[in-house]
Amino acid sequence: MSDRIIDQQPGGNATETLSTEAQPVVLECTGIKKAFSGIPVLKGVSLQLQPGTITALAGENGAGKSTLMKIASGQYRADAGDVRVRGELLTSGSTQSANRLGVAIVPQELASLLDLTVYENIFIGRELKGPFGLRRKAMIEEARKDLQQFGLQFDPTRKMGTLPVGIRQIIEIIKATNTGARAILLDEPSSAIAEREVQQLLDVMRALRDQGVALLFTTHKMEEMRAVADHVVVLRDGGLVLDEAMSAVSDDDIVTAMIGRELEDLFPDRPDHSDDVVLDIHDLHVEGAPEPVSISVRRGEIIGLAGLVGAGRTELIEGIFGVRRTTAGTITVDGKPLKRNDPYASIGANIALVPEDRKGAGGVLSMDILDNGSLPRLKSFTAAGWLRQGARRAAVSEATDSVRLRSRGLGQSMETLSGGNQQKVVFARWLTGTVDVLLLDEPTRGVDVGARSEIYRIITELAAKGMAVIMASSDMPEILSLSHRALVLREGRITGTLDATELAAHDVQDRIFRLASGLSATPTTGIPTSTEKETAR
């Protein structure tokens, strides 16, 4: 581990000095092992968190990151090994013990009580009481000070449910610090929040580090690791394979440690497409959009939808499939008119949708792979009201094999799969039948770099088989590397179309940003100013 020591200074800020003496350790995991249903998930993992440091915990989905965090926070009981907090043994499987010792976790799925106010969420379980009941005014004022300390300026009597996910996440962190946590574990804190909220979150993490708190966070984004992490720990297949100062390793070192091989070609070659139009959209008016949209997509062609948050990409894809209301326009598939606002008609016309929220709208986590894999086409596996189990199992098995799903079998629950494998099931469920049009909304959100590479391969292979693909993505490299054409949206309007030649131009990212933000298309410098970027947000 690093030999950094944090000394608290007046005013609450921390300074760094170097020492050859042993570092104080806030949280230490030693030889942690854990298995589920006989399958090893953690294989003797050891790590240390020191005060005033931020450690990035990296690894592919399924590497054991979340399990390690849950053991360190007392949620899971380890099969072997122990956890110590400032030298004191943490009672295995006891969240009360973890909280008492100063360990808090902010999970990926937030536990906020949305119907309660902000201050009630902050003080839940430790309410201020007086002789005449709860001291609500005192709690409101203290909550207001807490919010201001972390750069949040709003009324603490607001309901939690009215706030964006990113702000609710910061409030969960405030709640943890108010209970005296000296080690805070953040599981995928930026996976479901907007870019502007990510920067706010990173600022909060830096502030906590300056106060001497030890932080451990998981992320798939290298830029976030570089922005705040002092240290990086990488898990692969349940084992610890890298434990280094962030400054001592390159991005390639981290990726190679994560996937066990060098990732030379993240993006496969784009397949050729034909001139036959499969999907023709004419003057489609999505409810709430300022004007209609027209798009034609050819067989084997991948159309990328680019734009800033709120540009209307998701709304357009959902409008095409029929799960979001459209008020006018025509859609034809292979020359046949499609009934609007009817997802059943879309499925019947061989249109498939892979939504952004794979957990909430894509898969049913409580069901197994077999049931998830056959949901959209149950009718085709039914005869006289009875499921044809043999045909269903064979079709789902073939489809999951085609996407190289890693699982223990079709009976495995979706919720026990890694994020990348959950996404593969959502892809595979459509491949049990014919697909002519594939609609993808943020297909790699929340999956690691190794799984991304496999998903890109799936997309290009499906396009090579003749599917017309429309893909909405906030990841610029995905748009530039996978798309034959890119459409840039702003506030529901298509503001520009770029062909393959234009997508390969050196200034393409600047051009897309300007089309997406409504800035001048011909800047004098070629680079948006910070003022322009802030205006665009």
Side-chain angles (χ1 to χ4, degrees):
M1 295 295 291
S2 161
D3 57 355
R4 179 183 290 108
I5 288 181
I6 304 296
D7 292 322
Q8 280 302 120
Q9 302 296 312
N13 293 323
T15 59
E16 294 184 355
T17 60
L18 296 178
S19 170
T20 58
E21 297 179 4
Q23 268 279 25
V25 175
V26 177
L27 185 145
E28 182 174 19
C29 299
T30 305
I32 301 297
K33 295 182 179 181
K34 183 68 178 177
F36 294 101
S37 302
I39 306 297
V41 176
L42 293 174
K43 305 170 184 176
V45 173
S46 300
L47 64 80
Q48 295 180 347
L49 301 183
Q50 296 167 353
T53 61
I54 300 177
T55 299
L57 179 60
E60 292 191 271
N61 291 112
K65 304 185 301 295
S66 293
T67 300
L68 180 61
M69 282 193 162
K70 288 175 180 176
I71 289 172
S73 61
Q75 295 183 38
Y76 284 176
R77 184 183 300 275
D79 297 334
D82 58 49
V83 179
R84 292 183 180 274
V85 184
R86 290 179 286 190
E88 186 173 342
L89 186 65
L90 172 66
T91 303
S92 184
S94 170
T95 54
Q96 293 87 350
S97 176
N99 292 336
R100 178 181 59 82
L101 294 173
V103 179
I105 185 169
V106 179
Q108 190 173 357
E109 306 296 334
L110 296 179
S112 305
L113 299 176
L114 302 186
D115 291 333
L116 297 184
T117 65
V118 170
Y119 84 85
E120 288 170 329
N121 271 270
I122 290 175
F123 280 93
I124 193 164
R126 58 178 200 93
E127 294 83 356
L128 301 182
K129 298 177 181 178
F132 303 106
L134 295 179
R135 298 169 54 207
R136 294 190 180 275
K137 288 185 178 180
M139 288 190 286
I140 291 169
E141 286 310 307
E142 189 171 329
R144 193 186 310 278
K145 292 176 183 177
D146 290 335
L147 295 173
Q148 291 172 351
Q149 181 183 355
F150 289 98
L152 301 179
Q153 303 287 338
F154 57 80
D155 188 345
T157 62
R158 281 183 63 175
K159 291 286 183 70
M160 281 287 278
T162 66
L163 299 172
V165 174
I167 301 302
R168 298 207 305 265
Q169 208 152 33
I170 293 174
I171 292 169
E172 288 296 313
I173 295 172
I174 291 172
K175 183 163 59 175
T177 59
N178 281 1
T179 58
R182 306 308 296 166
I184 298 180
L185 316 179
L186 306 170
D187 194 4
E188 293 284 354
S190 66
S191 63
I193 63 178
E195 181 181 349
R196 193 168 188 175
E197 293 171 353
V198 170
Q199 294 308 313
Q200 203 167 7
L201 173 67
L202 298 181
D203 287 343
V204 168
M205 293 171 66
R206 293 185 187 101
L208 290 170
R209 174 176 58 190
D210 291 345
Q211 295 170 20
V213 177
L215 294 103
L216 179 70
F217 79 108
T218 60
T219 181
H220 295 305
K221 300 175 183 177
M222 203 67 68
E223 63 271 21
E224 292 178 7
M225 296 187 207
R226 290 291 174 196
V228 295
D230 306 294
H231 210 87
V232 59
V233 173
V234 177
L235 300 184
R236 184 175 74 240
D237 297 328
L240 190 147
V241 293
L242 183 72
D243 185 353
E244 293 285 350
M246 196 71 197
S247 58
V249 292
S250 67
D251 291 358
D252 286 344
D253 292 334
I254 296 171
V255 171
T256 300
M258 287 171 59
I259 65 176
R261 65 186 188 281
E262 292 188 6
L263 196 62
E264 296 175 354
D265 299 311
L266 180 61
F267 294 99
D269 293 335
R270 277 183 293 243
D272 294 331
H273 63 77
S274 74
D275 293 328
D276 298 334
V277 173
V278 178
L279 178 67
D280 189 36
I281 301 166
H282 182 69
D283 286 344
L284 184 68
H285 200 149
V286 179
E287 190 170 57
E291 59 188 44
V293 169
S294 297
I295 307 172
S296 292
V297 191
R298 294 166 287 189
R299 191 169 295 282
E301 186 177 26
I302 302 173
I303 301 291
L305 301 183
L308 302 176
V309 173
R313 295 165 298 178
T314 294
E315 290 80 356
L316 176 57
I317 281 181
E318 292 179 347
I320 296 170
F321 191 71
V323 293
R324 185 176 293 268
R325 178 173 160 75
T326 56
T327 57
T330 60
I331 303 173
T332 59
V333 181
D334 269 343
K336 299 176 182 178
L338 175 71
K339 182 181 179 182
R340 290 188 293 107
N341 304 316
D342 187 346
Y344 295 105
S346 296
I347 294 172
N350 299 328
I351 301 177
L353 169 65
V354 176
E356 176 182 7
D357 182 5
R358 64 173 176 269
K359 294 183 178 180
V364 183
L365 298 189
S366 60
M367 294 170 61
D368 62 22
I369 294 170
L370 177 61
D371 287 338
N372 271 279
S374 54
L375 266 179
R377 305 187 190 278
L378 270 178
K379 188 175 181 180
S380 65
F381 301 118
T382 304
W386 292 88
L387 272 176
R388 297 185 296 122
Q389 293 287 11
R392 182 170 77 124
R393 183 172 289 276
V396 174
S397 181
E398 182 180 352
T400 53
D401 286 347
S402 73
V403 298
R404 299 177 193 171
L405 178 70
R406 297 174 188 167
S407 73
R408 301 193 297 269
L410 298 183
Q412 184 175 351
S413 171
M414 272 281 282
E415 62 188 350
T416 64
L417 293 173
S418 67
N421 282 306
Q422 287 177 353
Q423 190 74 318
K424 288 181 183 180
V425 174
V426 177
F427 270 93
R429 69 196 312 174
W430 296 107
L431 305 183
T432 56
T434 302
V435 175
D436 290 318
V437 178
L438 180 61
L439 306 175
L440 305 173
D441 193 4
E442 301 288 358
T444 62
R445 171 159 289 175
V447 303
D448 60 74
V449 65
R452 281 179 176 232
S453 178
E454 293 183 353
I455 289 171
Y456 297 150
R457 175 192 58 78
I458 292 168
I459 293 170
T460 54
E461 286 182 357
L462 294 178
K465 292 178 180 177
M467 291 186 197
V469 180
I470 297 181
M471 176 188 71
S473 176
S474 301
D475 190 300
M476 188 62 69
E478 286 182 5
I479 294 291
L480 300 183
S481 301
L482 294 178
S483 305
H484 295 97
R485 282 186 292 149
L487 308 181
V488 185
L489 275 71
R490 178 173 180 264
E491 297 177 351
R493 299 181 177 89
I494 295 177
T495 57
T497 302
L498 291 80
D499 61 22
T501 301
E502 292 171 305
L503 289 173
H506 74 280
D507 63 344
V508 64
Q509 294 197 42
D510 175 69
R511 185 176 175 191
I512 289 175
F513 175 80
R514 291 181 169 278
L515 289 168
S517 59
L519 301 177
S520 167
T522 54
T524 55
T525 64
I527 300 175
T529 67
S530 58
T531 303
E532 289 174 324
K533 286 186 176 180
E534 184 61 31
T535 301
R537 292 193 182 108

